[in-house]
Amino acid sequence: MKHKTTPLVLLLTLTLFLTPAAAWSPSDFSGGALSGLVAEEGALLVSDTYNNVIWRIHPDGSVERAAGQIGIADVNGEPIGKYDDGTLASALFMEPWAVAPFLDNGYAVTDTDAHVVRWFDQEGVYTAAGSGKPGSANGVGTEAAFNQPTGLAAGKDGRLYIADTGNGAIRVMNADGEVGTLLTGLVDPTGLCWHDDALYIAETGRNRILRLKNGRQEVLAGGGEEEADGHYPGAWVDGPAAVARFDHPQGLAVANDGTLYVADTGNGAIRKLKDGRVTTLPTSEHTSQAPVRPRSILVQGNRLLVTDLIAQNVLTVELTPVTFTDVAPGAWYAQAVTAAVERGITVGTGGGSFSPDVPLTRASFAVMLTRLHLHSDGNAVIGGEAAFPDVADDTWYAPAVRWAADRGIITGYDTGAFGPEDTITREQLAAMLWRYAGSPAPAGSELTCSDADLVDAWAVDALLWAQENGVMQGGDGGRFDPKANASRAQVAQMLLNYLEMTWQS
């Protein structure tokens, strides 16, 4: 085993790679499990924990091995990993987890199962730090010891930050190869990211995101109650950072505007923390596969590149702001439409339009309500047993209609039909949302709208609830227009008002 003692120098600049990730087919990676991801000048470097190599993806979409060799297959046909330094073509990795720019024109790699941090340049692969056996020790080079190191982040302070997962610690290596301990007492930390003189940490075992800056540690989002056996259960909840929940997140990236993106590995989703709120990004329309086990994220302009342990591809998630030709920036509903689309509650109607004034149908509302429900339980199964003669099994809204009907949120007509294409009035919409909320009727309140006499008796409690909680606003002259059809723009605003109500409670 060779050890190179060349002084470490931080690589300060990266040239971003802009070729669409959708061009990279799974076959290019020989069935690999893609893990770490970093921009190299004019290309990407991606670690592969199945084939145990580092791939290089060129701007034209072609793929080559940058470091390591694919080992001999075992009895199950899986390549056997080994730990051996050497030339780029002859070196062997046990489990290359993360890649980060470090050393003179080189890259650090956590070789997790070998319990070391490796390094490679244009000449070969070397051991930067670690004894090759699990342990916990500070020191220079092979004097140091790790236990299952995973995530890496190169700080602008010239140091390499290492998630020492098995030891529940964050380690740091300086430009002379000396390893120290920065933080202890964590539960299975993995993904790391450096931004604005701060270290962001995915504390995977506790399902939360931390930030360490100027020696101060804070919880940015996530984290739940510990169960009796010491296990921290994961969940999938959007909302304010303090109530948001993750399931074993493993990857982090921060955009220039400070937005934090999280590879929520256990939930198979990409989450976003901005302005103190966590939301789930919709699946990109430009990728053939949704994230299954996302691990690493790289921000490039208006998109994210994401590695996935199962999808065998580098996935693309577009971040281009949502705009519609029929939604003027100054319209009263413009912000609501944008937020509802970004949060996956609704979509456009095609051709760049949103159709804000078009009345909403009963089928569309059922679907929108299920999408809103997923903000509080992203793992919810949408479906049910309810049957209607006019709701065929293969329709796009059937699972949502059955889910809502089983819960008594939406009912059919006396004929037994559901009427999926029928429009919804504003009082019907308030009643359905009230049933979904499961809230009691407000006591001692009266409707303040000037057309209260037009509200059907069965809808009074629902409208009182909507009025008291700011879910529904009156129109001109303080009218609720209970019998008017609810437009797509009005429903987007009401559902966002409901989310705000639940997040503030």
Side-chain angles (χ1 to χ4, degrees):
M1 184 173 64
K2 301 176 182 178
H3 173 63
K4 187 168 182 176
T5 58
T6 302
L8 313 183
V9 178
L10 175 65
L11 184 62
L12 292 173
T13 59
L14 297 175
T15 300
L16 299 185
F17 178 61
L18 299 175
T19 297
W24 311 328
S25 65
S27 60
D28 290 331
F29 301 106
S30 303
L34 305 185
S35 179
L37 177 66
V38 69
E40 184 188 41
E41 186 174 356
L44 285 177
L45 293 174
V46 185
S47 63
D48 181 345
T49 61
Y50 177 82
N51 291 302
N52 300 310
V53 299
I54 309 298
W55 301 105
R56 176 177 287 112
I57 306 172
H58 292 283
D60 62 2
S62 62
V63 178
E64 66 174 346
R65 278 189 293 122
Q69 58 176 311
I70 300 175
I72 300 173
D74 61 13
V75 293
N76 297 315
E78 297 183 2
I80 299 174
K82 292 185 178 181
Y83 170 29
D84 192 16
D85 291 335
T87 66
L88 293 176
S90 66
L92 293 167
F93 292 92
M94 288 286 288
E95 187 186 8
W97 206 97
V99 186
F102 207 64
L103 302 170
D104 274 331
N105 299 315
Y107 293 85
V109 181
T110 43
D111 199 347
T112 303
D113 280 353
H115 310 287
V116 296
V117 176
R118 314 283 290 277
W119 180 79
F120 70 93
D121 60 7
Q122 296 180 353
E123 299 178 2
V125 178
Y126 313 91
T127 297
S131 64
K133 297 180 181 180
S136 180
N138 295 326
V140 178
T142 55
E143 296 175 356
F146 305 94
N147 186 359
Q148 300 281 309
T150 56
L152 290 173
K156 288 189 176 181
D157 58 359
R159 302 195 294 177
L160 181 71
Y161 294 88
I162 305 155
D164 194 358
T165 305
N167 287 320
I170 304 299
R171 313 289 293 280
V172 60
M173 183 165 63
N174 65 19
D176 296 321
E178 182 178 359
V179 175
T181 300
L182 181 67
L183 187 64
T184 60
L186 306 181
V187 179
D188 297 333
T190 57
L192 302 178
C193 177
W194 179 271
H195 177 77
D196 192 23
D197 297 326
L199 181 68
Y200 293 76
I201 304 166
E203 191 181 7
T204 306
R206 281 199 178 105
N207 304 300
R208 62 185 188 174
I209 310 302
L210 310 177
R211 178 170 60 190
L212 185 65
K213 187 172 184 177
N214 298 326
R216 179 175 175 267
Q217 175 188 327
E218 61 179 320
V219 178
L220 291 183
E225 296 297 325
E226 182 178 358
E227 292 184 349
D229 62 357
H231 173 69
Y232 293 85
W236 190 348
V237 179
D238 283 345
V243 302
R245 294 293 180 262
F246 303 90
D247 189 353
H248 294 83
Q250 293 188 3
L252 303 173
V254 182
N256 289 334
D257 65 356
T259 301
L260 174 65
Y261 296 95
V262 181
D264 193 0
T265 309
N267 284 322
I270 305 300
R271 315 286 294 282
K272 179 176 75 171
L273 173 59
K274 184 177 183 180
D275 299 327
R277 294 272 169 81
V278 174
T279 54
T280 300
L281 294 185
T283 303
S284 171
E285 297 178 357
H286 297 277
T287 131
S288 60
Q289 302 179 64
V292 180
R293 297 284 290 178
R295 173 164 284 179
S296 295
I297 304 177
L298 180 64
V299 180
Q300 290 199 326
N302 289 326
R303 69 176 184 172
L304 303 179
L305 300 183
V306 183
T307 61
D308 194 299
L309 296 170
I310 303 299
Q312 302 179 15
N313 204 346
V314 178
L315 306 180
T316 304
V317 178
E318 300 294 334
L319 301 176
T320 303
V322 178
T323 58
F324 296 102
T325 57
D326 54 356
V327 177
W332 65 264
Y333 50 78
Q335 291 185 345
V337 167
T338 298
V341 173
E342 287 181 346
R343 292 170 182 171
I345 295 174
T346 186
V347 295
T349 55
S353 299
F354 182 78
S355 306
D357 297 322
V358 172
L360 194 76
T361 65
R362 287 163 59 85
S364 293
F365 176 71
V367 172
M368 290 173 69
L369 191 59
T370 61
R371 291 171 178 165
L372 177 140
H373 179 68
L374 291 173
H375 279 267
S376 61
D377 182 4
N379 289 308
V381 176
I382 304 302
E385 301 298 327
F388 298 98
D390 55 350
V391 178
D393 291 344
D394 59 352
T395 55
W396 57 272
Y397 50 80
V401 168
R402 291 178 179 140
W403 174 87
D406 277 2
R407 286 155 182 78
I409 300 168
I410 295 177
T411 59
Y413 298 123
D414 292 340
T415 62
F418 174 72
E421 298 304 321
D422 293 351
T423 56
I424 294 179
T425 65
R426 287 168 56 82
E427 66 178 1
Q428 290 171 348
L429 184 63
M432 293 173 187
L433 196 53
W434 178 52
R435 293 181 202 130
Y436 169 71
S439 300
S445 300
E446 293 184 0
L447 288 174
T448 59
C449 55
S450 60
D451 53 357
D453 59 320
L454 300 179
V455 178
D456 285 332
W458 55 265
V460 170
D461 286 344
L463 281 172
L464 282 171
W465 167 83
Q467 170 186 282
E468 186 172 283
N469 290 283
V471 174
M472 179 179 283
Q473 306 294 332
D476 293 338
R479 297 172 56 86
F480 266 163
D481 293 324
K483 299 295 190 293
N485 289 327
S487 70
R488 286 171 49 82
Q490 289 172 348
V491 176
Q493 184 67 69
M494 284 183 64
L495 292 180
L496 285 174
N497 291 344
Y498 174 78
L499 272 182
E500 289 295 326
M501 178 199 76
T502 58
W503 286 350
Q504 292 173 11
S505 62

